[in-house]
Each structure stands twice: as C-alpha cells, then as structure tokens.
C-alpha cells in the first residue's frame, strides 16, 4: 500500500464499501470510540417521570391559580441532572466550534474570543444590570458605551456613531434610513441604490427593504468595481451606493475615493459595508475615503461572540453630513462631566436635530459593548494595526500555498486582503465545490463559505483570521490540499462524503423544501 498523505487519506481506502465501513449507524450499537449516537431527549426519559424531587402541592393549590392553572400535562421528559448534562454535552460534541480548531468561513471572521473579554463581561456591574432600571443607576454602563463609541469614531475617521443596532444587517438598515432621512430633509425623492456585484448579499436586501430600487454595478475582470460603469449610471435618481470594502472577492477597492467623489458629485451618499473592517482596522480610516455611513460587526472585528443566534451588535458610524439624522438615543458627556443618555428633548444641544426615530427599544447590547471595548483597550492602537496586518498575511499565506492546486481567479490581481477566493474550475467532471466541502469535514474542519460571492463559479471563500498560528495554517492547508487533489484526480468517493461525521450527507433540497420541524 502507498504511504498516507498529510491528511491520513490512502488512495486504496476509496474502494471501501460505504455501508460496511463509512456509514454511521442509526442505533446505539454503532457507537464509535467516544462519539456516541445520541437519541432525542424525549427518547431518554418519558414524560411520566421527573428527575427531581418536588414537594406535594398543597390542598387547593390548583384552585388558587384560577385561569392560570395548567389544563394538560406539560409533556416534557423527566431527566435527572447528569442525564441532562450528558445529553447536551454529547450534542455539543457533534458540532464544530472556534474552540476546537480553525474556522475558515470567508466573510464571517470566525476568530478566537479572548477569555479576558468574557471575564470583564461577567463582572457584576455589567452582567447584572437590567434595561428597565433607571438610567441614573448605570453610569458605568454609559461610560463603557461612550468610550466604545469614541474608539469606533477614532478608528473609522467618522463624525458620529449609532450604538443601538443589534446586528450587521440591522446596522445596514440604520445607515440607509439615515440616507433616506437626509434626502427627505432636502426634498429630494431619489429612488435608486447602486450595489456592486462584489458586495455582501444583505446590501441589496437592505436597500429593497428600505423602499429603494436596486441596480447592479458590474465588476471588472480583476474582481473590483467597474468605476467607468458606475460613473455612467450616476444621475439625479441615485440615492447612493452600497459598497463592501474590502470586497467579497477579498480585494481592496483601490478606486474607493474616486467612487465616493463621483457619487457625491451627483448628490448621493456612500454606504460602506463594514463587515470586512477586520482587514483594515488601524490601517485605513473609511472616513478618509469619503464614506458617509458604515456598520461595524463587533463580532467580526472586535471578537465578541459570533453565532448561536445572537446576541449581535452592529454600530453605525456616520459622516458629518448624516450625523444629524442618526436615530436616538445616544451617549454624550455633558457640561457636568458625566455621560448621559441623550433623548429627543436635549438632542439639539449636540447638533442632533433631525433624528429619524429609534432602531430598538433599548440602547444596544451591553455584553457585546464590554467585550469589544476590552478587546480594543487590551490591544491598543499598535495591536489593532497588527490585527489587520496578521489577518492579511495569513490569508495570503493560504493563497500562495494552494494556488498550484486550487484555481484562484483573482490571484494574479496582487495580494488579497483578509480572505482568499478559490473556485472549482479545475475539478474533474462530476465533482463540485460541495463535494470538496463535504470531504473537508472528514479531515476535521468546518467547510469554508461556498458559492459566494456569485461572481465566481463554484466559489470557495476562505478567511483564516489573525488569531491562527502558522502551525494551524499549515495543518489546514495540508487538509485542504489533500481534498483538492482528490477532486482534481476525479475521486468519486467525494460524492458520498462525509463518511465520519455524526450524520452522512443530507438531501439539502428536500431538507429546505420539506423540513420536519417537530418530533
């Protein structure tokens, strides 16, 4: 037999019978090593038992509840504490996490969340406050918000910031609503937002949700905005452009200042999607490039938790032209030297005279603010600059290490930024990006972002982030190279991958169209 490659895959293993070797049994008798087949929680214990001792209900207890009394059994299984803990721990082991290894999702910046951030966020003065308690009782929280706002303005070179948006897409909507408010204030009924092909997918959705007609701007052969096409489309009906920079092809828009100048010359505004700010933080200030509004994903650039359904946070920085229209409330240090939450009645003192309303009931996401500010202060200006430098260095290391085995459509355009884009151009007939991604699961990695951006067929977008060591990158590169070589060689066993995951490949079309959402 031939020697295994770096990933441990031997060519002879491709001929193994799937049912005999690779399939993961659907019963407990199929347990392999420490990966246990986990039943549903309803299959562990019945609803007629309880895992805890409860006192008998006093006589007449049900009557005292009146209409609030339960009419039917609750229907939940009665598990003991160890049964409950083991069930959810075993389930967690069937998932992938940043604490397990490199998470290569391009455009998502899945990087390590420093434990120092978590320690600060759990301090009683931050963790125990409630949004309904009097504002006068939370001066420390307001100081944190105001200090973080200051840093975001400094790092972006902008004039103001809105802290309340709860996620990146929410921040996009906030920025577009600011643009709409500014146009309405001058009686300018513009109806079109231009969105380049290389922008994030939420950009056209946000513009359409805000009531604008969306028109595409093509990309050049090197993956950047076609400046000539953009200028040709500009006119009195264009409210603005939504541009992602660095863009989703992993490239910096070198014509950004020219784009901003052109849009401003016809009375429009420039919205920059700040999801990729991780690549330029401490190096480039978007405000210097003519940007009017930009959301910042705190989970991406400033390492607050990413995923799990939330919580998220997407502050929006605004230019001097748009700041008066930002929503309320906001924090500001008043003449008494104390930070206050500024509402409508005193917003005018700070030049905030035409706010379009509110984005949320409460002011932002406290846990994310404390984590992000901790990250910023622990890195300092020089550390944040190194964040961008290392993120770009790591992505280019992956690009140059794999461009001989994976097609890099924009590899000749020069260095990439924080993420690298590959395609399935050189795969053997019948094999696709999806097959490579499923094969990567067997190598112990969560797949990269697939089929996005749409400007490249069979796209694979890889972002290593700055928190990965060279050893970690080399291990990932070896695994990805192994699967890519098999795809180029026509290894049809990839069509059935993954073999060693807790579940085999699903019919994703059927799962999307006819999901079973109940037990």
């Amino acid at each position: 037999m031939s020697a295994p490659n770096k990933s441990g895959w031997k060519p002879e293993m491709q001929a193994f019978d799937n049912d005999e070797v690779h399939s993961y049994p659907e019963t407990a008798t199929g347990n392999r090593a420490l990966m246990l087949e986990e039943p549903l929680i309803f299959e562990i214990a019945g609803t007629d038992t309880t895992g805890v001792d409860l006192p008998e209900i006093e006589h007449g207890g049900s009557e005292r509840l009146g209409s609030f009394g339960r009419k039917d059994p609750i229907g939940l299984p009665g598990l003991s504490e160890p049964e409950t803990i083991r069930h959810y721990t075993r389930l967690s082991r069937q998932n992938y996490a940043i604490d397990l290894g490199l998470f290569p999702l391009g455009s998502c910046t899945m990087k390590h969340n420093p434990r120092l951030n978590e320690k600060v966020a759990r301090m009683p003065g931050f963790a125990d406050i409630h949004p309904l308690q009097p504002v006068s009782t939370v001066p420390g929280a307001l100081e944190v918000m105001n200090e973080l706002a200051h840093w975001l303005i400094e790092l972006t070179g902008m004039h103001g910031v809105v802290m309340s948006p709860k996620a990146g897409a929410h921040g996009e909507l906030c920025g577009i609503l600011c643009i709409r408010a500014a146009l309405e204030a001058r009686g300018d009924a513009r109806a079109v937002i231009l969105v380049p092909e290389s922008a994030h997918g939420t950009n056209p959705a946000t513009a359409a949700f805000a009531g604008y007609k969306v028109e595409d701007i093509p990309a050049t052969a090197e993956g950047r905005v076609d400046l000539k096409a953009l200028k040709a489309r500009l006119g009195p009906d264009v409210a603005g452009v939504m541009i992602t920079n660095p863009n989703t092809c992993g490239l910096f828009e070198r014509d950004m200042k020219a784009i901003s100048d052109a849009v401003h010359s016809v009375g429009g505004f420039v919205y920059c999607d700040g999801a990729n700010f991780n690549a330029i933080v401490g190096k480039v200030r978007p405000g210097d490039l003519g940007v009017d509004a930009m959301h910042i994903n705190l989970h991406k650039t400033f390492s607050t938790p990413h995923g799990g359904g939330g919580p998220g946070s997407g502050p929006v920085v605004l230019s001097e032209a748009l700041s008066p229209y930002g929503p309320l409330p906001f924090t500001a240090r008043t003449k008494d030297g104390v930070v206050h939450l500024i509402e409508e009645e005193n917003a005018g003192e700070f030049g905030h005279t035409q706010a379009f309303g509110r984005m949320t009931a409460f002011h932002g996401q406290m846990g994310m603010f404390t984590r992000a500010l901790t990250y910023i202060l622990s890195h300092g200006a020089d550390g944040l600059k190194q964040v961008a430098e290392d993120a770009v260095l790591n992505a280019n290391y992956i690009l140059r290490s794999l461009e001989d085995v994976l097609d890099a459509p924009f590899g000749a355009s020069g260095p990439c930024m924080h993420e690298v884009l590959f395609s399935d151009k050189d795969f053997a007939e019948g094999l696709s990006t999806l097959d490579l991604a499923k094969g990567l699961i067997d190598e112990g990695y969560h797949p990269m972002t697939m089929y996005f951006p749409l400007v490249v067929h069979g796209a694979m977008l890889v972002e290593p982030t700055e928190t990965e060591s060279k050893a970690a990158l080399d291990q990932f590169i070896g695994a990805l190279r192994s699967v890519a070589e098999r795809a180029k060689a026509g290894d049809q066993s990839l069509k059935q991958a993954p073999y060693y995951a807790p579940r085999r490949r699903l019919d994703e079309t059927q799962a999307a169209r006819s999901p079973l959402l109940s037990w």
Side-chain angles (χ1 to χ4, degrees), residues 65 68 71 81 87 259 264 271 307 318 352 379 406 419 479:
L65 290 174
F68 295 103
K71 303 297 189 297
E81 183 175 291
H87 171 70
I259 291 171
H264 290 156
Y271 184 92
L318 301 171
H352 210 81
H379 279 71
L406 279 171
E419 56 194 354

Side-chain angles (χ1 to χ4, degrees), residues 139-159:
L142 296 182
E143 285 280 353
V144 167
M145 294 180 192
N146 201 62
E147 182 71 8
L148 177 58
H150 163 75
W151 272 96
L152 296 180
I153 291 172
E154 285 292 312
L155 289 168
T156 58
M158 301 290 271
H159 183 269

Side-chain angles (χ1 to χ4, degrees), residues 60-237:
S62 298
E63 288 77 3
R64 289 201 300 272
L65 290 174
S67 61
F68 295 103
R70 182 175 293 281
K71 303 297 189 297
D72 303 303
I74 193 171
L76 294 177
L79 274 66
S80 66
E81 183 175 291
E83 287 177 318
T84 304
I85 292 174
R86 288 169 183 167
H87 171 70
Y88 287 107
T89 300
R90 288 195 292 258
L91 284 180
S92 73
R93 291 181 53 176
Q94 295 184 18
N95 202 355
Y96 195 79
I98 192 65
D99 287 347
L100 293 176
L102 186 151
F103 217 130
L105 280 176
S107 194
C108 284
T109 317
M110 302 290 283
K111 63 185 181 182
H112 172 67
N113 306 138
R115 293 308 184 260
L116 175 62
N117 300 2
E118 301 303 315
K119 182 177 181 180
V120 173
R122 285 163 172 75
M123 293 172 65
F126 298 132
D128 297 343
I129 59 176
H130 191 280
L132 288 177
Q133 70 186 82
V135 175
S136 61
T137 66
V138 289
L142 296 182
E143 285 280 353
V144 167
M145 294 180 192
N146 201 62
E147 182 71 8
L148 177 58
H150 163 75
W151 272 96
L152 296 180
I153 291 172
E154 285 292 312
L155 289 168
T156 58
M158 301 290 271
H159 183 269
V161 62
V162 182
M163 299 296 290
S164 54
K166 296 299 182 67
H170 201 211
E172 285 181 26
L173 180 61
C174 176
I176 293 300
L177 291 179
C178 287
I179 290 174
R180 189 173 72 180
L183 291 171
E184 289 176 349
R186 70 188 193 201
D188 198 344
R190 300 184 179 219
V192 177
I193 291 286
L194 304 180
V195 180
E197 289 181 342
S198 57
H200 276 145
T202 49
N203 292 177
T206 295
F209 186 80
Y212 287 102
K213 178 184 176 182
V214 179
E215 294 186 16
D216 293 337
I217 297 298
T220 64
E222 65 171 15
R224 295 180 171 90
V225 175
D226 188 327
L227 180 60
K228 185 176 180 180
L230 174 71
K231 288 182 175 180
R233 177 56 191 87
L234 291 176
D237 61 335

